[in-house]
Amino acid sequence: VQLVEFGGGSVQPGGSLRLSCAASGSTSYIEAMGWYRQAPGKERELVARITSSGVINVEDSVRGRFAISRDSAKNTVYLQMNSLKPEDTAVYYCNAMVVVRTIEGKSEFNYWGQGTQVTVSS
């Protein structure tokens, strides 16, 4: 699975940005796609995630401001970010969780995009 991210950039506090991530390759095995972020000196954290069945998880600090959605036909997931704050500044990574089921059992694989910088500053 290959992931290509679009969007990101610099915006003032209170502004909006939209990230998109297009998946290609063995997309039929993708069971969830999401966005993670990593700020300098901090660990990578989940921002929002959506499963193939439509279940959505959103991190508490962005709930009500960020929204994740998907276009299954295009194998693309979006992250609409509104009311951005300086603490949202980070590199945002797209993630795809692939599950392969065989007679022996289930194997999970995580794929990552290249990351896109989001900077919120006045």
Side-chain angles (χ1 to χ4, degrees), residues 8 12 15-16 21 30 32 43 60 63-64 67 72 78 105 109 118:
Q12 293 186 342
S16 298
C21 174
I30 295 176
E43 294 186 354
D60 287 345
R63 188 172 292 119
S72 298
Y78 305 95
F109 304 90
V118 170

Side-chain angles (χ1 to χ4, degrees), residues 2-99:
Q2 295 79 44
L3 302 173
V4 179
E5 300 157 353
F6 303 91
S10 296
V11 66
Q12 293 186 342
S16 298
L17 285 173
R18 188 192 196 207
L19 306 182
S20 61
C21 174
S24 62
S26 301
T27 58
S28 61
Y29 295 99
I30 295 176
E31 294 208 354
M33 291 186 69
W35 292 92
Y36 288 70
R37 66 185 180 186
Q38 187 167 19
K42 294 187 177 181
E43 294 186 354
R44 191 173 297 188
E45 64 175 0
L46 173 68
V47 177
R49 182 172 176 264
I50 183 167
T51 70
S52 57
S53 58
V55 176
I56 292 175
N57 299 106
V58 179
E59 198 268 330
D60 287 345
S61 68
V62 306
R63 188 172 292 119
R65 301 188 296 121
F66 291 12
I68 189 169
S69 61
R70 64 177 182 179
D71 183 333
S72 298
K74 297 181 179 179
N75 294 310
T76 299
V77 65
Y78 305 95
L79 184 68
Q80 178 65 43
M81 304 184 293
N82 300 324
S83 302
L84 282 160
K85 303 176 180 180
E87 51 263 43
D88 295 319
T89 296
V91 178
Y92 284 69
Y93 296 91
C94 179
N95 168 267
M97 186 184 77
V98 166
V99 178

